[in-house]
Amino acid sequence: MMPSIRRRTVALALSAAACLPAHAVRYEGQDFPDTLQLGGASLALNGAGKRQVAIYPLYLAALYLPQKATTPDAIYAQTGPKRVELRIVIPLVKDVSTQEFVKAISKGVNRNSTEAEKAAVAERVKQFNTAIGEVGRVKKGDLLHIDYLPAQGGTILTVNGKVWGQPIEGQDFYTAFLKVFLGDNNSDARLRARLLGQPG
């Protein structure tokens, strides 16, 4: 093959590769991109899992971080943007009140934080729960993003592309939120394992 032809072939191959979709992880019939851009940073999928209540799957959760990590402490220590994504997967004929999320967050923070930590974030937990409560109800297909964006003021709740409430400042608050899923006294050990990138 002539050098010029070889160069054109390589260039075409690289161009075609650039047009390919990003790699994705398939879980429970849904694709989760293995990387995404958030707040000017490239985040990696750390893990994805399922939360089931009684006989119904409630949501699929995915955790995106600046760097993959296998322990909660390593995750809490990371600065910069982070994302928890919740995809509601309850049956089409049902929906659920977001007050269930409020209860779960309050219980999770109380179980997994020290007294000093709880006191420090108490008002911000109320602020976040108020925003979630105002959403009302969620149904199959709804998409929630709980993003930590320090350059934009802190933790931001987005439901189906709409922002609810005001940014909640402080990495300590986002850590308290993450402990709901990753703390030692979490409510779903299998989900915790999956978010930590472990089999579950």
Side-chain angles (χ1 to χ4, degrees):
M1 185 182 293
M2 298 293 291
S4 60
I5 297 175
R6 185 181 298 113
R7 283 196 297 271
R8 284 197 297 271
T9 301
V10 171
L12 287 171
L14 291 173
S15 177
C19 295
L20 291 175
H23 292 292
V25 173
R26 190 137 184 101
Y27 178 71
E28 292 288 321
Q30 297 201 29
D31 291 330
F32 292 86
D34 59 3
T35 60
L36 58 79
Q37 297 296 312
L38 182 68
S42 179
L43 304 186
L45 176 64
N46 203 68
K50 177 175 66 175
R51 175 73 170 116
Q52 187 159 318
V53 178
I55 63 172
Y56 296 110
L58 178 55
Y59 57 77
L60 304 182
L63 175 62
Y64 288 90
L65 302 169
Q67 297 180 358
K68 287 189 176 185
T70 57
T71 66
D73 286 343
I75 291 170
Y76 305 150
Q78 292 189 38
T79 58
K82 302 174 187 176
R83 165 170 286 179
V84 171
E85 177 174 301
L86 304 180
R87 300 184 184 184
I88 307 302
V89 294
I90 54 177
L92 187 61
V93 296
K94 294 183 178 291
D95 60 13
V96 63
S97 169
T98 53
Q99 286 302 318
E100 296 303 316
F101 290 95
V102 170
K103 293 175 186 176
I105 291 167
S106 296
K107 184 182 294 184
V109 170
N110 285 332
R111 286 179 173 177
N112 293 284
S113 301
T114 66
E115 292 302 319
E117 289 168 343
K118 285 188 285 187
V121 301
E123 290 303 315
R124 286 173 286 166
V125 170
K126 289 180 182 178
Q127 180 185 344
F128 186 67
N129 282 343
T130 295
I132 293 178
E134 289 175 350
V135 175
R137 304 189 73 82
V138 290
K139 62 185 184 303
K140 184 177 181 179
D142 285 349
L143 179 65
L144 288 72
H145 288 150
I146 302 92
D147 295 333
Y148 179 59
L149 294 165
Q152 297 180 33
T155 301
I156 297 174
L157 169 67
T158 305
V159 182
N160 298 329
K162 177 182 176 180
V163 174
W164 291 81
Q166 298 298 315
I168 300 172
E169 65 181 13
Q171 183 167 325
D172 61 337
F173 169 77
Y174 201 79
T175 294
F177 172 74
L178 287 176
K179 286 182 178 179
V180 175
F181 301 93
L182 304 179
D184 290 338
N185 297 310
N186 65 87
S187 58
D188 194 319
R190 293 182 65 184
L191 174 58
R192 178 183 188 269
R194 294 283 312 186
L195 294 178
L196 291 174
Q198 303 165 1

